[in-house]
Amino acid sequence: MIVVLASASGFPPVRALARRAGLRCVPDSADAPHRLALVGALSPVDRDELAAALEARPDVAEVIRDPGSAPLASRHFRPDPSVVAVGPLSIGGGAPILAAGPCAVESREQLMAVAEAAARAGAGLLRGGAFKPRTSPYAFQGLGPEGLRLLAEARQQTGLPVATEVLAAEQVDLVAEVADLLQIGARNMQNYALLAAVGAAGKPVLLKRGLGATLDEWLMAAEYLLATGATGVVLCERGLRHFDPQTRNILDLAGALAVKSLTHLPVIADPSHATGRRDLVAPMALAALAAGLDGVIVEVHPDPDRALSDGAQSIDLAALAGLAQRAAAMGVSFATPSVRRPSAEVEGWGR
Ligand code: PEP
Ligand code: MN
């Protein structure tokens, strides 16, 4: 349940009541709590009794008894959009973001070429997989730790924060050393042990929607992250399984907008995985921006036909610049990192 306080002085006694009932009490703000989420398992009868006791208190303005299955992620807890800080970049609540990068980090040359092009195009975030979840065991699985090292170099070179996927709980510490935004892939959206381990890293998380996940399941996955310590969650609609082999998945823009009305979390779209076709990436990215999502994430490769992973849906460097121009012509101005690294640091790169 969510408790709306009449005055901040209600926080300690409400928290004490919640704890006595075996619930955690999470305030919306450490300095000036106004809304409290009381989370945990409780029988329906005990829940009703606690709600009634809270409603009778003068320091409680309202008790929202049923905020849904993902209270921390819900608008009942935070009516306004939340802003997720990803290093020097803010996602949500303002200008949309452009995130760009290769599906997989393949080499220094490949990554640096894409990272520089992304920065030139006005992207705010560099994406790139070091550990890849591949359907075939024979497909390129990523460079692993070397890929992470290259991502750190690319961040140093461009000033762009980095999003990269973590596949397993035992990788979290290693990946979190480099990632500004830890990515949970679609296939792992309901891997609850991984969600809890990633949440415990205390970082922001990019949560891809599962291949056939409902909005509620997606929000409950976000709830796991928020409940276990993630500093913010960015939801990413990346296309759902469907029946037509002409496109890899179907971009559920309506679902992405619908989930935005339920949650304060930012929602971005991934037209690369959603379509599987590089000719459809820019138009669907522009559609997502026109619809008012908080950004787009696209796969980019200097030579897509030679890509080791997802080349068919990767746009080249010129197409990335073209996408940015078309977005600008639509009146979109992308959010960029608030600080660029000093050039002295950049000069040290690679030595
Ligand atoms: C990716 O972003 O490269 C990726 C594997 O995405 P998804 O989990 O959405 O398939
Ligand atoms: Mn990919």
Side-chain angles (χ1 to χ4, degrees):
M1 72 189 79
I2 306 286
V3 176
V4 185
L5 295 174
S7 73
S9 63
F11 177 34
V14 170
R15 182 176 52 191
L17 274 172
R19 284 182 178 165
R20 210 169 306 143
L23 299 182
R24 255 176 79 201
C25 175
V26 182
D28 60 346
S29 143
D31 312 329
H34 178 54
R35 285 172 186 252
L36 309 174
L38 274 43
V39 295
L42 211 56
S43 77
V45 170
D46 289 339
R47 184 168 290 273
D48 279 350
E49 282 177 9
L50 177 62
L54 291 168
E55 278 161 354
R57 295 182 60 87
D59 46 16
V60 169
E62 187 190 354
V63 176
I64 301 166
R65 290 181 177 229
D66 183 13
S69 39
L72 297 175
S74 80
R75 291 254 181 192
H76 297 293
F77 183 50
R78 291 185 190 280
D80 297 325
S82 55
V83 179
V84 177
V86 176
L89 181 71
S90 295
I91 305 182
I97 61 140
L98 171 62
C103 175
V105 177
E106 297 174 7
S107 67
R108 171 181 281 134
E109 294 65 35
Q110 174 240 23
L111 182 62
M112 296 308 157
V114 177
E116 295 286 2
R120 274 197 306 275
L125 182 71
L126 176 66
R127 62 143 292 147
F131 295 95
K132 294 303 303 176
R134 302 307 300 278
T135 307
S136 164
Y138 307 118
F140 178 57
Q141 305 286 317
L143 294 180
E146 171 64 5
L148 293 176
R149 212 183 55 71
L150 292 173
L151 284 165
E153 282 189 14
R155 170 177 49 208
Q156 184 81 347
Q157 178 80 348
T158 60
L160 296 180
V162 160
T164 195
E165 182 164 351
V166 52
L167 288 183
E170 54 275 17
Q171 278 170 5
V172 172
D173 289 348
L174 183 70
V175 178
E177 265 179 44
V178 167
D180 298 287
L181 184 63
L182 287 162
Q183 180 174 330
I184 299 277
R187 292 155 193 79
N188 272 321
M189 190 206 82
Q190 287 182 306
N191 181 340
Y192 300 117
L194 178 62
L195 294 174
V198 167
K203 292 205 139 199
V205 180
L206 177 64
L207 178 64
K208 295 288 199 90
R209 181 180 181 183
L211 279 69
T214 65
L215 300 185
D216 273 351
E217 288 165 340
W218 193 13
L219 287 178
M220 278 190 271
E223 189 79 6
Y224 262 91
L225 293 164
L226 294 171
T228 51
T231 56
V233 176
V234 179
L235 299 171
C236 179
E237 160 58 35
R238 47 77 71 206
L240 300 173
R241 269 279 159 78
H242 69 150
F243 56 86
D244 192 333
Q246 297 286 337
T247 49
R248 183 176 178 182
N249 291 297
I250 186 161
L251 179 61
D252 184 15
L253 270 188
L257 289 177
V259 85
K260 260 183 90 61
S261 68
L262 300 173
T263 182
H264 54 85
L265 300 172
V267 183
I268 67 172
D270 172 349
S272 305
H273 292 87
T275 64
R277 287 172 46 166
R278 70 180 77 129
D279 62 320
L280 299 180
V281 168
M284 295 315 280
L286 297 172
L289 294 166
L293 292 191
D294 297 293
V296 291
I297 181 166
V298 296
E299 289 187 335
V300 183
H301 195 285
D303 188 354
D305 288 334
R306 289 188 194 278
L308 291 177
S309 158
D310 282 349
Q313 65 192 39
S314 297
I315 57 174
D316 66 16
L317 309 187
L320 175 64
L323 165 57
Q325 277 165 10
R326 288 168 70 183
M330 250 169 55
V332 171
S333 138
F334 290 116
T336 47
S338 57
V339 283
R340 290 266 171 192
R341 273 159 203 268
S343 54
E345 272 187 60
V346 172
E347 279 163 19
W349 170 73
R351 286 196 197 139

